[in-house]
Amino acid sequence: MGIINKDFFLQDAKEVAINLLGKKIVRKIGDNIVSGIISETEAYLKKDDSASHARFGKTKRNAPMFEEGGIVYVYLIYGVYHMLNFVTQKKDEPSAVLIRKIVPLENIELMQKFRGNSNIKNLSDGPGKLCKALNINMSLNRHKLFTKEKIWIEDMKDNSILKKVQKGTRIGIDYADKKDKNALLRFWI
């Protein structure tokens, strides 16, 4: 298993969203490592995607989406929940992949402590929950994913998981245009 390099993130968001499934997300907090297998993602495509944060242009909040792929984009919703995204594509082609769900893998007890929940079944089965379980916060915004510091992605040996990919509509985008609401840009295994 090796760390995913920057070129992986320079692809189309849809391709990255699919290819992240089954990969290992690793979070280093001090001397501790927590990790999980990415099992659900959503793609947000460039400026013409009415569900994308980039749809109205560059702002202070969405500025990381306009950077070159391979960095973290974290934002806060409802003033409570952090959302973890990975920026994709080239600079000024704003697109990202939201990490919706992971299967806990390493140091689950610490993840349970961060999350304040001992139930393994729903420890990280939503974007806000997984951010709490992995101790994701705004300090990771713009962090490079291709370095072995704080957060990174590793390849897993078994790629057969991609044969089982399901797809559907994205969640929580009622404000989007009908075509974007109905786009099959959520992927899971």
Side-chain angles (χ1 to χ4, degrees):
M1 296 185 294
I3 190 169
I4 300 298
N5 66 31
K6 183 177 183 177
D7 290 341
F8 174 88
F9 297 100
L10 297 180
Q11 304 174 72
D12 177 74
K14 182 177 177 182
E15 293 303 312
V16 174
I18 292 168
N19 290 315
L20 278 169
L21 296 172
K23 302 255 189 285
K24 180 179 174 183
I25 184 169
V26 182
R27 173 78 167 102
K28 185 175 183 183
I29 306 131
D31 292 332
N32 296 301
I33 295 283
V34 292
S35 71
I37 303 301
I38 298 172
S39 59
E40 187 175 346
T41 60
E42 284 181 353
Y44 289 86
L45 314 173
K46 299 188 186 178
K47 294 178 187 177
D48 59 346
D49 180 351
S50 66
S52 172
H53 287 176
R55 69 190 177 277
F56 299 123
K58 190 174 183 178
T59 65
K60 184 177 178 181
R61 179 189 192 202
N62 72 13
M65 288 184 75
F66 290 79
E67 297 300 321
E68 189 172 49
I71 65 169
V72 174
Y73 168 41
V74 178
Y75 62 89
L76 196 62
I77 62 167
Y78 311 125
V80 179
Y81 302 106
H82 289 97
M83 299 285 117
L84 175 63
N85 297 263
F86 300 153
V87 175
T88 65
Q89 299 193 188
K90 296 176 184 172
K91 186 175 176 71
D92 296 322
E93 292 183 13
S95 58
V97 174
L98 171 67
I99 309 304
R100 288 199 56 83
K101 185 177 180 181
I102 64 169
V103 177
L105 193 61
E106 292 176 276
N107 215 343
I108 294 170
E109 301 81 19
L110 186 56
M111 293 171 79
Q112 290 168 321
K113 179 182 171 189
F114 289 145
R115 172 91 161 72
N117 180 1
S118 61
N119 186 346
I120 189 83
K121 289 184 181 181
N122 70 359
L123 184 61
S124 54
D125 64 343
K129 293 177 184 179
L130 79 85
C131 283
K132 283 188 176 185
L134 294 176
N135 196 26
I136 303 291
N137 54 47
M138 295 303 292
S139 71
L140 291 175
N141 205 25
R142 288 191 155 106
H143 180 76
K144 294 177 182 174
L145 286 161
F146 46 89
T147 65
K148 228 171 179 178
E149 304 169 7
K150 297 185 184 179
I151 187 169
W152 64 90
I153 307 300
E154 292 181 359
D155 239 334
M156 298 294 286
K157 289 181 181 178
D158 182 10
N159 288 331
S160 66
I161 209 154
L162 292 178
K163 295 176 184 169
K164 301 172 186 170
V165 172
Q166 304 291 309
K167 60 184 173 181
T169 57
R170 295 173 291 186
I171 296 172
I173 57 165
D174 295 336
Y175 54 86
D177 293 342
K178 188 175 181 179
K179 72 171 177 63
D180 294 327
K181 263 193 226 182
N182 295 328
L184 302 179
L185 293 171
R186 181 170 58 97
F187 307 97
W188 68 93
I189 49 176

